[in-house]
């Protein structure tokens, strides 16, 4: 059982030598200091599909080890509406509830990870630790449990864990703990929005910062309600990404078309179909030379298999893409000409 930071140090590093254990403990204390922890991140920028860049904060290996050690202690607690960063759930679960509905509304939360504050992280971790079988509720004074907040060991652990998992008072996008913590923080908000939707027979799912609603309802009233709930909890809608999609237009949810049946979009499937045509005609290496890409053949092949896998995840009976998958599996990374 983990009662204190010293216990977590033993759990994390498994040291039997007392001197090494002391050094590891003081390393943990050092990582709890904001200024030191700030120097342990590397900032990288990744291009977004829709333009612009996404800033990724990559923690150093020692800090990442601490964060990964925390993760098993925080399992559970996500809402049923969260479909990203949750074991056993995927884009399929996010899109499926919205298939065939006359109206789909898509909302985006601005700067999702950067809007999650240290106090929110602390409260979410504290709640998760009290429910964890590895920590539970441990009181500083077993004879006096009248004031749980002041007597609970978890409050000390929660403070340190919240420090280890935040950067500049918010969740860094790139830390292994940030996805789960964002779901834990947002779970009460999901429940409020979900209750509002259930009363109106509106389907609701959330994939990270993407919120999707479908059914028959007044979209403006729903958007106003969501905007208010987000605002009182420190979040903000990105109005530039709000989409109200009726039946007469293409309705997509996390890359899947949901108008009548669940499948990858026509453009997504068409791009793969075109690539497979040229790979079969010129071979994989020849195709890559034609399109002048620096991607290695094996890496490109694996990426293509991943995209084909996405199509088949949404439409398992698609024989055309089953054949593409089989052909790539049977041919070498160089690819052969399809005579």
């Amino acid at each position: 059982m983990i009662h204190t930071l010293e216990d977590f140090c033993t759990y994390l590093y498994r040291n039997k030598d007392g001197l090494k254990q002391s050094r590891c403990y003081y390393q943990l204390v050092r990582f709890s200091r904001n200024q030191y922890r700030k120097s342990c991140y590397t900032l990288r920028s990744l291009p977004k599909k829709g333009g612009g860049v996404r800033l990724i904060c990559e923690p150093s290996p020692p800090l990442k080890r601490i964060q990964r050690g925390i993760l098993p202690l925080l399992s559970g607690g996500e809402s049923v509406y969260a479909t990203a960063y949750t074991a056993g759930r995927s884009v399929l679960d996010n899109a499926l509830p919205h298939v065939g509905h006359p109206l789909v509304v898509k909302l985006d939360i601005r700067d999702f990870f950067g809007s999650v504050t240290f106090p929110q992280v602390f409260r979410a971790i504290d709640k998760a630790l009290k429910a964890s079988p590895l920590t539970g509720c441990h009181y500083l004074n077993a004879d006096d449990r009248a004031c749980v907040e002041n007597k609970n060991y978890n409050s000390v652990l929660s403070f340190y864990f919240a420090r280890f998992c935040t950067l500049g008072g918010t969740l860094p996008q790139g830390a292994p703990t940030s996805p789960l913590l964002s779901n834990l923080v947002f779970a009460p908000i999901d429940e409020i929005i979900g209750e509002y939707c259930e009363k109106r027979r509106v389907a609701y799912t959330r994939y990270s910062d993407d919120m999707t609603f479908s059914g028959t309802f007044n979209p403006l009233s729903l958007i106003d309600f969501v905007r208010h709930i987000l605002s009182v909890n420190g979040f903000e809608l990105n109005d530039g990404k709000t989409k109200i999609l009726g039946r007469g237009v293409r309705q997509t949810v996390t890359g899947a078309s949901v108008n009548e049946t669940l499948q990858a979009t026509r453009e997504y499937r068409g791009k793969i179909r075109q690539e497979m045509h040229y790979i079969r005609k010129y071979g994989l290496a020849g195709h890559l030379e034609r399109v002048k890409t620096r991607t290695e053949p094996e890496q490109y092949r694996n990426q293509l298999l991943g995209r084909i896998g996405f199509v088949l995840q949404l439409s398992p009976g698609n024989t055309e893409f089953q054949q593409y998958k089989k052909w790539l599996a049977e041919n070498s990374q160089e690819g052969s000409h399809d005579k």
Side-chain angles (χ1 to χ4, degrees), residues 17-315:
D17 180 88
L19 181 58
K20 288 183 178 179
Q21 179 71 0
S22 295
R23 289 174 177 170
C24 290
Y25 174 77
Y26 285 111
Q27 182 186 41
L28 286 178
V29 173
R30 192 160 58 245
F31 275 118
S32 72
R33 298 168 185 159
N34 289 325
Q35 201 59 36
Y36 179 78
R37 197 169 61 258
K38 185 177 180 181
S39 67
C40 298
Y41 280 91
T42 300
L43 193 63
R44 296 188 294 112
S45 59
L46 296 178
K48 293 182 179 180
K49 289 183 179 180
V53 294
R54 175 179 287 106
L55 295 179
I56 301 297
C57 298
E58 181 74 21
S60 64
L63 179 55
K64 187 178 291 187
R65 180 179 181 180
I66 295 170
Q67 293 168 343
R68 285 177 172 163
I70 292 172
L71 276 174
L73 307 178
L74 306 178
S75 59
E78 304 101 317
S79 77
V80 297
Y81 306 100
T83 57
Y85 321 130
T86 304
R89 300 183 195 174
S90 65
V91 292
L92 179 65
D93 301 282
N94 190 61
L96 195 57
H98 307 290
V99 175
H101 288 189
L103 179 66
V104 174
V105 172
K106 296 164 58 175
L107 305 178
D108 179 84
I109 304 170
R110 188 188 303 276
D111 189 21
F112 184 51
F113 287 95
S115 298
V116 178
T117 64
F118 178 88
Q120 291 173 318
V121 172
F122 170 82
R123 288 193 294 269
I125 290 176
D126 204 48
K127 182 178 179 181
L129 290 184
K130 290 175 183 176
S132 171
L134 293 175
T135 54
C137 285
H138 307 291
Y139 296 95
L140 293 170
N141 183 350
D143 298 324
D144 180 9
R145 301 187 179 186
C147 187
V148 172
E149 266 119 56
N150 292 335
K151 303 295 182 181
N152 201 301
Y153 276 119
N154 293 105
S155 297
V156 179
L157 272 180
S158 300
F159 173 81
Y160 277 109
F161 285 3
R163 279 289 185 93
F164 296 149
C165 297
T166 55
L167 175 64
T170 62
L171 283 182
Q173 189 167 2
T177 43
S178 291
L180 173 60
L181 285 172
S182 70
N183 276 345
L184 295 181
V185 167
F186 212 83
I189 305 172
D190 276 335
E191 296 300 331
I192 294 172
I193 296 173
E195 183 179 355
Y196 173 93
C197 290
E198 286 180 14
K199 289 180 179 178
R200 292 157 180 80
R201 297 183 180 180
V202 176
Y204 165 53
T205 60
R206 180 179 59 82
Y207 195 87
S208 187
D209 56 355
D210 294 325
M211 310 172 77
T212 306
F213 307 84
S214 63
T216 304
F217 56 95
N218 183 330
L220 298 183
S221 296
L222 181 137
I223 292 171
D224 286 342
F225 173 79
V226 173
R227 188 192 307 279
H228 170 72
I229 296 301
L230 291 181
S231 178
V232 298
N233 286 280
F235 295 92
E236 181 184 356
L237 278 182
N238 184 349
D239 290 322
K241 292 188 176 181
T242 295
K243 294 183 179 179
I244 302 175
L245 308 171
R247 197 185 290 277
V249 300
R250 187 181 64 181
Q251 300 169 333
T252 60
V253 178
T254 47
S257 174
V258 298
N259 283 75
E260 295 179 2
T261 58
L262 188 65
Q263 61 179 342
T265 63
R266 183 181 302 174
E267 290 80 5
Y268 193 91
R269 288 178 284 126
K271 180 74 162 55
I272 295 174
R273 189 176 290 117
Q274 183 183 54
E275 290 177 71
M276 286 302 303
H277 169 76
Y278 288 118
I279 289 172
R280 285 176 160 180
K281 184 175 182 180
Y282 299 108
L284 182 55
H287 170 62
L288 294 180
E289 186 177 349
R290 287 181 68 257
V291 297
K292 295 181 173 59
T293 179
R294 295 183 179 179
T295 306
E296 292 296 323
E298 186 63 18
Q299 181 184 358
Y300 179 89
R301 179 174 173 274
N302 290 335
Q303 291 173 349
L304 183 56
L305 279 169
R307 288 187 284 140
I308 292 171
F310 174 70
V311 175
L312 292 174
Q313 182 184 20
L314 300 177
S315 306

